[in-house]
Amino acid sequence: MEVSVIRSSQAKVGRIELAYRELGLFSSKAHGVKALNSRSDLCFSPSTRWKNARLRFSPMAVRSEPKEVSRRPKSSDGLRLFVGLPLDVVSDCNTVNHARAIAAGLRALKLLGVEGVELPIWWGLVEQEEGGKYEWSGYQAVAEMVQNAGLKLHVSLCFHGSKQPKISLPKWVSRIGESEPSIFFTDRSGQQYKEYLSLAVDDLPVLDGKTPVQVYHDFCESFKSSFMSCVGSTIDGISMGLGPNGELRYPSHHKTAKGSTIPGVGEFQCYDKNMLNNLKQHAEASGNPLWGLGGPHDAPSYDQSPHSTNFFKDHGGSWESPYGGFFLSWYSNQLVDHGARLLSMASSLFEDTGVAIHGKVPLMHSWYGTRSHPSELTSGFYNTCTRDGYEAVAQMFASHSSKMILPGMDLSDAHQPRDSLSSPELLLKQIRTACRKHGVEVSGQNSSVSNALDGFEQIKKNLLGENVINLFTYQRMGAYFFSPEHFPSFTRFVRSLNQPQLHSDDLLREEEEKEAVEAIPMTSESSINMQTASKS
Amino acid sequence: MSTTTIEPLLHRCRRETSTFRSGSKRFRPSSLPGFPRRLGFHCWRSFFCEFKPPHRPLLLRAVASSSVAATVEAFESSDVFFKETFPLKQTSLVKGKIFIRLGHGKKEQDWKLTVGCDVPGKWILHWGVSYIDDVGNEWDQPPSGMIPPGSVRIKDYAIETPFKKSSSSSGGDTLQEVKIDCDPKSSIAAINFVLKDEETGAWYQHRGRDFKVPLMDYLQKDGNVVGPKKGFGALGHLSNMFLKENALDSKNQETSTKSRVPQRENRLEGFYEELPIAKEVAVCNWVSVSVRKCPDTAKSLLYMETDLSGNVVVHWGVCRDDAKNWEVPVSPYPPNTVIFKGKALRTLLEAKEGGSGSFGVFTLEEGLEGFLFVLKQNENSWLNCMGNDFYVPFPSPTISTGLPKQRQTEGAETPGIPAEENEISSLSVYTGGIISEIRNLVRDFSSEKSGNTKSKEAQESILQEIEKLAAEAYNIFRSSVPTFLERAVSESEELKPPVQISTATGSGFEILCQGFNWESHKSGRWYQELKGKARELSSLGFTVIWLPPPTDSVSHEGYMPTDYYNLNSRYGTMEELKEVVKNFHEVGIKVLGDVVLNHRCAQYKNQNGVWNIFGGRLNWDDRAIVADDPHFQGRGNKSSGDNFHAAPNIDHSQDFVRKDIKDWLYWLRKEIGYDGWRLDFVRGFWGGYLKDYLDASEPYFAVGEYWDSLSYTYGEMDHNQDAHRQRIVDWINATNGTAGAFDVTTKGILHAALERCEYWRLSDAKGKAPGVVGWWPSRAVTFIENHDTGSTQGHWRFPGGKEMQGYAYILTHPGTPSVFYDHIFSHCRSEIESL
């Protein structure tokens, strides 16, 4: 209780009042009115029994009434929690997949006090057959369900494809790609990544005479007009898909073999025709035409460790050479420019709606402990022990008044494979520092639902730390999400977010909570405890 | 004695007349407040009628009754254009008495307990005795000297003795009775009994409890000094209770005559008690209507007669179009007619000569389309036609007579697909109504208390709602997108295998199905039969099935195990068992094995001729048997719990016993594939031993049967059943929370609450559910019936007709609900499914 009094300075008066009413009721039962009056002096014995009793407040105070819950997140200090809808919520024939489950899930989330859901909208589904022909009905149906459930909607416009569930780029785009493979990212060995268009073609009229950015723009415009009624009301956030997996990055790790616990460094993706042209021009302009003939020859392949070849070596690696500097800045600038193109397009398009534009930046945390940060380098962030690569990114976000989504809020260093020298926590901190410096608002995501059980603690730490994050999207609804292994802990997580003053160790398992509430001897004894404590 | 308005007849009716099914279901009595009731149906509960039209409307039908034949003659056949006899099916309450007399026999030392009953029928007394030092509620076999001839022993604890015509019964009364001799020197503390109607299979119990006639006070004292108060203590309660119950009854059944005041005749030595009994009997009456053109006036003459006697009032009107709007015709009216609210007429039928039946003649003007009526017998018993009015069409000059008639026929006789749909939808409305009613009730109660409990309640219900929704979403996702699940799994494999649940309490999303009843052993191939139902059970949403005890057993039902490792039982062979387990696993249902750990039947006698040497793979001897049961001369330690007297109780304090049992349970898990246990009679030993077993066998789910009596004060069940549930919770605690327990408390409270509409019982002093669910929902396995309480044993049957309300409660409240096999594969199926 004492704890909660202190935290009440954060304007949670209503909650506290509730808690006190609670306290008053049950203490007066045991004629403990005195204890109530002298609450400032309360000093509770740390007995486990008292802990149990203290538990009484946590659920009650938070969810005394459903209305209370739904109002709460709007308070200034509130964390807005979103949950991602399944990636395949709309099927490729534009119907809502397992709508009943979605409806039940939405209702459950609403009751839990979740603010809204995130809806991935796939380019490959909406503009499936031919350019300029959009089919929004499936997503409109989902939006309506969400609206009816009284939830907010955060839309992610996905201009990438997905392997699982299998969602490809629009068929007409794929057809173009067959005749013109250079529209896709290509690695050193000539393999293409067909789930996102190479950023080098952004302004080239490769798609039936249109540039990809134009196509993206038309898509967004169609979205805007189709969801006119919702944008700005139900839809209060839009994420621009900026690259593979929706993130601002190169597909540097797409060939990573499954099964290895330690991710490799990935590969540079600068070998499609247009990228190479671009590189060549850039090299010639910088006076070193020989540097523009290809990517680094001494970079490792996807699954190799940094030290297997020369480029990323901690000491004397090519990344520290002038060539390395030249290549890496070009490579990363290409990415930042790409992001800028899309974010400026989106922010100008949606400016009048008042909807915040988000972009997602990956958390390439493996090998963060090396000097060269190879995973970040290959994915396009020129961030090493000597250079802050996220400054430029944050600045770009800031200049387009976009918010940054950072995944991996659930990852903690302790759970990373030791040999990968990975540090999600430090990387996250670095990016957030850059964002804070440039005034970019950060919202969080977890990277995967399946390690969530360990991750909830970490998420909480990230969300409620020094820099409060206002929006967190939990990924993602599905069978596992609602499974008995997962959902109860998610419930606890949500409830503990609403009651941050209690450390999760204090929150016993739900059943035990019930017991604590229900067991009569427990209650009376704890009130007695309280009385004695107040005398002391 | 009292209790007794049991309603098996409701189901019988349904079986007999399939056309009637929808009606009786739809009109399932609900005494919940606020449940909409249709006007004019105050008594539909006991009065059903059936519309049975003749095949050809115009054909004159011969009617069996001679009195009708006479009237037929009166109407010349050429003039009669409509004639029909409607059967009036109803169940009527036959009131009678049960006599219980304890008195001297011929000699002074001989005592005789006489139980008599004056209601006709084939009555059976199902009885047993309690010995002085017995604990708990179990019955024992009486000494053979007490058993009257013609009795049948029912297993080891009861006797069934048919009632015989009393020698003293006078001609008209069919008084039947059973006489039991009591030996005053025996250590019998009480005689327990229930009555069974052999024809209907209905049990006539005392509020879900046995009738109990205490003998100690009478017999051991000299008999003369017994004060009536003390002496009649037990029976005094009974009659008290009956009075209360009757008061309630009479609300519903206003036909019931004023309740009899139990007479108490105090004899010096014994006592004589008379208690009313009410039995529902299906009675079929009829009403016959014939219409004749009056040759002179062009008016129609309608003749109505019925075999109902007493004050039979026809509430009638006419209609001038197809819409069947009631209108009052022009006068003249028949004698004894009053206009009722300007809409209808009420005519009192005249009694026929001889007193058996009534009749009336109605003269009706021209140009009417039809004649509508319902019958009213006595004050509030309405008789109508499937919830509709009786309708007699008249021929109009232009419209053929057959048409409206046939339409009526179709509606009533053929409950085709639309009718079925109608039934289903009304059922869901019905069950939905119950659910919301119960919820509202619970809420209402808590709102009477402080806002504290109210918010707690609201919050609790939100949490439950969330859990329910999540479970629903989970099930759909799981079944419809296997690929998605695989992805989740493969991802988690990369990072960390998901946590295995082996706490024996399941995940909280289980719905348990008891996959057998007391008769399941009879086919000898139960496993195979069950196998075919696996998919169906899965589709109904069950996640766990409880299979019958698998071991070789002295009793066919399996609860008297002999050789633990011999799994060939009356339910099937071990191979079949494995197969059925496999089948259930395939459809995603976990399987519970019913393990009897408290007692085990010996296969050999020792040198004293006592059965206490075990055979088979676990060839224990008398050291494995508890020492405090003299019957079996065990040499083990004293029992750590209650004793089950019919078989040697295993001494679980012995290390070798525990090790063997652990090995056995482990073997069952591995060999058969059981996922968990249903533990029989866990009162018999300390829960801590059980924890040991569960730790060793790591079941997914385990539930123990801890069944003892609820607390009653003066025969009224106490509102506060904390002591009872505390005993169950104590046991769960002793297992360290590793096992759940059947929530007997909730069943008991539901008995009282539903039987007598005492819904205040559904909330305890703290506004929580009053059973174990209210304290420890994750460990409570709620049920309303199992093979012991219901089925053909019926030791503690759930109030008849209230099963759906019971299920509505347990399936919507916390705890793991368990549904009894009989209820799934019977009339309740669709309702349970919809819940």
Side-chain angles (χ1 to χ4, degrees):
Chain A
M1 280 314 298
E2 217 171 25
V3 190
S4 72
V5 175
I6 291 162
R7 296 289 298 208
S8 75
S9 57
Q10 296 196 344
K12 284 166 191 163
V13 182
R15 203 178 296 168
I16 296 307
E17 267 176 10
L18 264 168
Y20 270 118
R21 210 184 307 155
E22 211 56 61
L23 174 66
L25 273 166
F26 97 75
S27 59
S28 61
K29 245 180 242 164
H31 312 290
V33 187
K34 189 183 167 195
L36 185 66
N37 295 338
S38 59
R39 64 186 172 198
S40 52
D41 304 324
L42 284 181
C43 161
F44 297 116
S45 67
S47 76
T48 47
R49 179 156 284 149
W50 173 244
K51 265 187 183 170
N52 278 341
R54 181 163 56 171
L55 267 179
R56 288 168 59 93
F57 312 121
S58 66
M60 274 164 221
V62 179
R63 31 189 50 261
S64 58
E65 264 168 41
K67 278 177 195 163
E68 189 91 359
V69 173
S70 59
R71 263 204 318 272
R72 180 201 45 74
K74 287 193 181 138
S75 65
S76 59
D77 65 330
L79 163 79
R80 304 183 337 133
L81 181 66
F82 279 67
V83 174
L85 288 169
L87 291 173
D88 58 350
V89 63
V90 170
S91 70
D92 49 8
C93 43
N94 272 297
T95 55
V96 181
N97 268 337
H98 17 85
R100 258 187 69 211
I102 301 290
L106 289 176
R107 192 160 152 61
L109 293 179
K110 176 70 188 173
L111 289 174
L112 257 181
V114 168
E115 170 88 355
V117 290
E118 181 258 1
L119 169 67
I121 293 185
W122 298 90
W123 184 29
L125 293 183
V126 175
E127 204 177 353
Q128 200 172 142
E129 297 298 337
E130 58 181 282
K133 218 180 123 193
Y134 308 99
E135 179 55 63
W136 295 103
S137 57
Y139 290 106
Q140 276 164 333
V142 175
E144 198 182 325
M145 285 169 72
V146 173
Q147 192 163 20
N148 291 343
L151 291 164
K152 292 283 179 196
L153 193 58
H154 184 110
V155 166
S156 298
L157 301 174
C158 303
F159 296 108
H160 60 281
S162 149
K163 281 203 173 67
Q164 185 61 262
K166 181 69 189 158
I167 298 167
S168 358
L169 293 187
K171 287 173 190 164
W172 60 281
V173 175
S174 301
R175 272 197 300 275
I176 293 169
E178 276 163 30
S179 56
E180 186 57 56
S182 62
I183 63 168
F184 295 122
F185 283 115
T186 309
D187 65 12
R188 190 169 47 179
S189 58
Q191 293 184 75
Q192 281 147 2
Y193 173 80
K194 295 191 175 174
E195 281 158 3
Y196 195 74
L197 295 180
S198 165
L199 53 84
V201 297
D202 273 355
D203 288 323
L204 299 178
V206 291
L207 300 178
D208 295 339
K210 284 187 179 176
T211 68
V213 171
Q214 274 173 331
V215 171
Y216 298 152
H217 175 268
D218 293 350
F219 182 89
C220 295
E221 200 154 49
S222 170
F223 164 78
K224 188 180 162 189
S225 59
S226 304
F227 288 83
M228 188 56 85
S229 60
C230 309
V231 175
S233 55
T234 303
I235 300 176
D236 72 345
I238 294 173
S239 297
M240 247 344 245
L242 298 178
N245 198 22
E247 296 166 339
L248 181 68
R249 65 174 290 182
Y250 291 92
S252 54
H253 284 75
H254 74 99
K255 287 288 177 196
T256 304
K258 295 270 172 199
S260 68
T261 51
I262 302 170
V265 295
E267 285 196 20
F268 292 109
Q269 309 283 327
C270 60
Y271 295 89
D272 68 76
K273 198 176 74 190
N274 302 302
M275 283 292 276
L276 287 173
N277 277 342
N278 194 322
L279 175 62
K280 196 170 165 213
Q281 286 167 17
H282 184 65
E284 281 162 2
S286 68
N288 284 302
L290 289 178
W291 286 354
L293 296 178
H297 67 282
D298 53 355
S301 63
Y302 288 111
D303 290 323
Q304 284 182 308
S305 77
H307 306 295
S308 53
T309 61
N310 195 46
F311 191 82
F312 294 120
K313 273 196 175 148
D314 265 354
H315 298 286
S318 311
W319 62 274
E320 278 184 304
S321 69
Y323 165 75
F326 158 80
F327 175 78
L328 291 171
S329 27
W330 167 79
Y331 189 72
S332 60
N333 284 338
Q334 292 292 310
L335 186 68
V336 172
D337 291 349
H338 169 71
R341 279 191 288 273
L342 293 185
L343 287 179
S344 74
M345 180 268 283
S347 56
S348 60
L349 184 59
F350 291 104
E351 198 174 14
D352 54 337
T353 62
V355 176
I357 301 297
H358 295 71
K360 190 174 173 187
V361 169
L363 195 70
M364 304 306 299
H365 55 81
S366 56
W367 307 113
Y368 190 82
T370 62
R371 292 186 68 231
S372 58
H373 299 194
S375 288
E376 292 166 76
L377 295 184
T378 54
S379 58
F381 297 93
Y382 189 6
N383 187 49
T384 64
C385 66
T386 53
R387 184 183 193 278
D388 189 340
Y390 294 100
E391 288 274 341
V393 178
Q395 197 175 4
M396 183 269 286
F397 270 79
S399 61
H400 300 293
S401 50
S402 302
K403 300 180 180 179
M404 191 186 289
I405 297 174
L406 287 174
M409 295 268 174
D410 54 333
L411 302 177
S412 58
D413 292 0
H415 287 89
Q416 300 306 313
R418 194 167 294 167
D419 298 333
S420 74
L421 302 170
S422 167
S423 180
E425 292 177 40
L426 286 178
L427 177 55
L428 200 58
K429 195 175 168 202
Q430 187 194 347
I431 302 177
R432 287 178 71 175
T433 308
C435 285
R436 194 165 63 245
K437 193 168 152 195
H438 292 277
V440 176
E441 201 177 296
V442 170
S443 53
Q445 277 187 11
N446 56 320
S447 56
S448 136
V449 74
S450 45
N451 64 339
L453 298 183
D454 298 319
F456 284 129
E457 263 321 289
Q458 187 64 28
I459 294 174
K460 253 184 279 180
K461 208 161 115 189
N462 276 319
L463 297 185
L464 309 167
E466 297 160 27
N467 311 301
V468 174
I469 285 177
N470 288 330
L471 175 70
F472 182 78
T473 308
Y474 188 78
Q475 303 291 18
R476 151 181 313 280
M477 208 190 266
Y480 179 76
F481 178 81
F482 286 114
S483 70
E485 294 86 46
H486 173 270
F487 193 73
S489 41
F490 177 73
T491 312
R492 280 196 296 283
F493 163 69
V494 176
R495 290 164 63 184
S496 65
L497 279 183
N498 293 331
Q499 192 75 357
Q501 46 269 63
L502 286 179
H503 187 261
S504 78
D505 287 354
D506 295 337
L507 291 168
L508 299 186
R509 309 228 332 266
E510 209 170 294
E511 290 147 7
E512 291 162 331
E513 277 176 32
K514 281 185 187 157
E515 267 172 83
V517 173
E518 288 151 15
I520 311 164
M522 209 75 108
T523 316
S524 55
E525 274 179 53
S526 50
S527 346
I528 291 161
N529 270 357
M530 193 165 65
Q531 274 184 303
T532 48
S534 64
K535 278 172 200 158
S536 64
Chain B
M1 299 177 220
S2 59
T3 93
T4 34
T5 317
I6 296 173
E7 285 147 273
L9 272 162
L10 209 63
H11 313 311
R12 269 169 62 84
C13 272
R14 193 175 304 150
R15 237 179 287 133
E16 282 165 11
T17 61
S18 61
T19 58
F20 194 61
R21 234 177 92 233
S22 63
S24 70
K25 270 199 180 174
R26 183 150 18 108
F27 303 140
R28 181 76 65 90
S30 160
S31 8
L32 294 166
F35 193 75
R37 241 183 230 184
R38 290 172 63 174
L39 190 72
F41 279 79
H42 300 295
C43 246
W44 40 255
R45 174 174 176 177
S46 39
F47 291 91
F48 299 127
C49 52
E50 189 189 42
F51 188 94
K52 191 178 157 199
H55 297 294
R56 285 194 218 152
L58 289 179
L59 189 71
L60 179 73
R61 282 183 54 187
V63 180
S65 156
S66 63
S67 64
V68 178
T71 54
V72 170
E73 276 164 31
F75 286 74
E76 286 169 34
S77 56
S78 58
D79 289 339
V80 173
F81 56 79
F82 180 87
K83 166 123 193 79
E84 183 159 341
T85 303
F86 305 92
L88 300 169
K89 208 154 226 174
Q90 60 181 49
T91 48
S92 74
L93 222 51
V94 176
K95 291 263 173 186
K97 283 176 284 185
I98 296 178
F99 310 90
I100 300 150
R101 181 191 298 118
L102 185 68
H104 280 299
K106 284 162 198 152
K107 285 179 253 168
E108 269 294 298
Q109 289 82 6
D110 287 349
W111 286 79
K112 215 181 246 306
L113 175 71
T114 310
V115 181
C117 175
D118 67 351
V119 179
K122 279 189 166 178
W123 293 100
I124 282 179
L125 189 77
H126 182 94
W127 63 285
V129 300
S130 312
Y131 289 97
I132 290 166
D133 42 2
D134 272 1
V135 201
N137 260 4
E138 292 109 54
W139 296 8
D140 279 313
Q141 283 278 14
S144 53
M146 273 176 79
I147 301 173
S151 304
V152 184
R153 275 173 190 266
I154 305 296
K155 288 183 280 288
D156 57 306
Y157 58 81
I159 298 289
E160 289 202 339
T161 310
F163 278 73
K164 292 211 182 89
K165 261 235 162 99
S166 166
S167 51
S168 63
S169 70
S170 53
D173 275 347
T174 49
L175 179 61
Q176 304 175 76
E177 62 182 29
V178 168
K179 288 183 174 152
I180 298 166
D181 296 320
C182 314
D183 183 358
K185 286 162 199 97
S186 72
S187 56
I188 295 170
I191 295 177
N192 310 299
F193 64 90
V194 293
L195 263 67
K196 183 177 161 188
D197 184 348
E198 201 180 15
E199 289 160 334
T200 61
W203 295 94
Y204 289 75
Q205 277 175 304
H206 180 269
R207 309 215 54 80
R209 286 207 307 170
D210 312 326
F211 296 89
K212 198 174 182 89
V213 179
L215 298 179
M216 290 313 292
D217 279 340
Y218 302 104
L219 299 182
Q220 287 209 329
K221 292 176 186 175
D222 218 7
N224 293 326
V225 285
V226 177
K229 276 222 167 145
K230 190 178 178 192
F232 288 104
L235 283 165
H237 308 166
L238 301 187
S239 37
N240 268 344
M241 287 174 72
F242 179 75
L243 283 176
K244 281 193 184 158
E245 189 214 19
N246 224 17
L248 276 166
D249 264 359
S250 57
K251 273 185 217 156
N252 293 331
Q253 302 173 341
E254 318 223 351
T255 45
S256 70
T257 51
K258 48 185 180 182
S259 46
R260 283 163 203 273
V261 181
Q263 299 170 19
R264 218 180 274 167
E265 209 174 301
N266 195 4
R267 295 187 185 167
L268 274 180
E269 305 91 344
F271 69 89
Y272 175 74
E273 187 91 5
E274 219 177 72
L275 286 169
I277 180 172
K279 176 184 170 184
E280 280 186 0
V281 177
V283 178
C284 189
N285 295 100
W286 49 265
V287 57
S288 139
V289 178
S290 56
V291 187
R292 180 170 73 109
K293 265 274 186 287
C294 185
D296 312 325
T297 58
K299 286 186 177 175
S300 301
L301 276 182
L302 185 139
Y303 180 82
M304 182 185 297
E305 73 166 341
T306 171
D307 64 343
L308 295 169
S309 352
N311 287 335
V312 182
V313 171
V314 184
H315 183 93
W316 63 282
V318 294
C319 60
R320 295 178 196 278
D321 52 25
D322 271 2
K324 293 183 188 168
N325 293 324
W326 286 59
E327 279 181 39
V328 177
V330 295
S331 48
Y333 307 128
N336 295 325
T337 298
V338 290
I339 297 180
F340 180 74
K341 291 185 181 170
K343 288 176 195 155
L345 294 168
R346 287 187 162 179
T347 304
L348 179 68
L349 293 184
E350 289 168 49
K352 268 195 259 182
E353 285 171 41
S356 62
S358 325
F359 72 96
V361 180
F362 302 84
T363 312
L364 300 164
E365 64 198 291
E366 240 183 323
L368 297 174
E369 188 68 30
F371 177 83
L372 296 153
F373 71 99
V374 292
L375 292 177
K376 201 176 103 173
Q377 192 185 23
N378 301 327
E379 261 319 289
N380 275 304
S381 349
W382 291 87
L383 293 162
N384 54 20
C385 179
M386 292 268 310
N388 293 318
D389 310 321
F390 292 104
Y391 178 63
V392 177
F394 292 155
S396 66
T398 47
I399 302 168
S400 94
T401 54
L403 270 177
K405 176 74 200 111
Q406 259 168 4
R407 204 178 45 225
Q408 176 72 6
T409 310
E410 279 161 24
E413 171 101 317
T414 54
I417 295 157
E420 292 278 333
E421 278 170 359
N422 186 23
E423 175 190 338
I424 288 162
S425 66
S426 66
L427 275 176
S428 62
V429 168
Y430 168 72
T431 46
I434 288 184
I435 294 169
S436 59
E437 280 302 329
I438 291 183
R439 280 197 190 142
N440 288 344
L441 275 166
V442 171
R443 262 177 220 150
D444 287 349
F445 286 126
S446 49
S447 67
E448 281 167 20
K449 306 196 172 95
S450 58
N452 169 20
T453 41
K454 187 172 181 184
S455 70
K456 204 198 297 176
E457 195 74 38
Q459 166 206 329
E460 196 89 334
S461 69
I462 291 169
L463 281 177
Q464 282 165 26
E465 182 75 12
I466 292 171
E467 270 174 36
K468 213 179 76 193
L469 290 165
E472 184 187 344
Y474 173 58
N475 281 326
I476 301 169
F477 274 125
R478 190 180 52 172
S479 55
S480 61
V481 275
T483 51
F484 210 72
L485 187 67
E486 275 162 28
R487 188 180 76 107
V489 170
S490 68
E491 270 183 6
S492 64
E493 272 167 3
E494 273 174 55
L495 294 149
K496 188 171 166 285
V499 186
Q500 280 286 323
I501 296 180
S502 59
T503 53
T505 54
S507 61
F509 288 93
E510 281 79 18
I511 299 177
L512 181 67
C513 162
Q514 177 174 8
F516 64 101
N517 61 24
W518 197 243
E519 305 297 320
S520 297
H521 62 90
K522 288 199 171 143
S523 67
R525 48 193 293 281
W526 183 249
Y527 292 143
Q528 295 192 24
E529 287 172 25
L530 210 53
K531 210 166 75 183
K533 296 185 169 120
R535 199 155 288 281
E536 189 181 351
L537 288 170
S538 168
S539 70
L540 286 170
F542 289 104
T543 60
V544 182
I545 187 161
W546 156 19
L547 293 184
T551 41
D552 183 32
S553 161
V554 173
S555 65
H556 296 163
E557 294 85 8
Y559 287 103
M560 293 290 192
T562 52
D563 180 358
Y564 278 162
Y565 280 92
N566 181 357
L567 299 189
N568 298 315
S569 67
R570 286 290 176 133
Y571 298 102
T573 65
M574 178 166 158
E575 287 313 309
E576 288 166 350
L577 173 62
K578 280 189 194 171
E579 209 169 310
V580 73
V581 170
K582 204 170 128 244
N583 263 283
F584 276 111
H585 285 165
E586 276 165 11
V587 297
I589 293 183
K590 306 251 184 216
V591 181
L592 301 190
D594 195 332
V595 289
V596 184
L597 298 178
N598 175 65
H599 51 270
R600 181 180 167 197
C601 290
Q603 272 141 301
Y604 308 105
K605 295 186 202 177
N606 70 357
Q607 65 275 17
N608 300 337
V610 173
W611 291 92
N612 63 6
I613 310 289
F614 299 100
R617 185 159 144 192
L618 301 181
N619 51 348
W620 303 335
D621 58 12
D622 47 6
R623 281 171 302 164
I625 299 174
V626 295
D628 41 0
D629 190 343
H631 295 93
F632 298 104
Q633 303 181 353
R635 289 197 290 133
N637 297 314
K638 282 200 142 197
S639 174
S640 54
D642 294 339
N643 270 341
F644 178 75
H645 293 293
N649 282 232
I650 295 171
D651 178 14
H652 292 268
S653 64
Q654 308 261 16
D655 287 340
F656 73 94
V657 171
R658 283 211 306 282
K659 180 183 177 303
D660 282 347
I661 289 178
K662 277 187 270 189
D663 288 349
W664 178 61
L665 291 175
Y666 186 77
W667 177 78
L668 285 177
R669 283 272 282 159
K670 294 289 160 235
E671 188 69 20
I672 306 301
Y674 282 128
D675 303 290
W677 316 119
R678 180 268 179 186
L679 302 143
D680 187 60
F681 200 84
V682 291
R683 264 170 64 202
F685 54 98
W686 179 49
Y689 296 136
L690 199 70
K691 175 185 182 299
D692 204 12
Y693 300 146
L694 295 177
D695 288 348
S697 57
E698 294 186 337
Y700 171 79
F701 192 90
V703 54
E705 178 208 35
Y706 194 100
W707 182 11
D708 66 0
S709 184
L710 275 69
S711 57
Y712 293 82
T713 304
Y714 301 118
E716 276 283 332
M717 179 186 284
D718 295 343
H719 173 241
N720 182 344
Q721 293 293 349
D722 288 349
H724 185 258
R725 56 174 162 172
Q726 188 62 52
R727 288 195 291 274
I728 295 176
V729 169
D730 283 349
W731 176 81
I732 302 173
N733 269 330
T735 71
N736 222 352
T738 52
F742 284 111
D743 190 350
V744 187
T745 321
T746 292
K747 175 173 161 72
I749 290 164
L750 284 177
H751 270 256
L754 296 181
E755 199 167 23
R756 302 192 280 177
C757 304
E758 293 172 345
Y759 296 108
W760 45 267
R761 293 187 185 276
L762 294 181
S763 172
D764 69 8
K766 302 181 84 74
K768 310 288 297 183
V772 180
V773 280
W775 278 358
W776 204 345
S778 67
R779 300 293 184 273
V781 178
T782 48
F783 71 109
I784 66 167
E785 208 79 291
N786 65 24
H787 58 281
D788 286 324
T789 64
S791 194
T792 46
Q793 295 201 92
H795 290 321
W796 195 31
R797 200 177 284 282
F798 203 72
K802 311 276 187 177
E803 290 92 349
M804 281 322 301
Q805 296 184 26
Y807 278 121
Y809 181 87
I810 67 169
L811 291 173
T812 55
H813 278 67
T816 303
S818 170
V819 181
F820 185 41
Y821 182 85
D822 286 6
H823 293 152
I824 303 167
F825 289 98
S826 71
H827 53 278
C828 300
R829 203 198 122 153
S830 55
E831 288 111 314
I832 293 172
E833 188 176 2
S834 63
L835 281 173

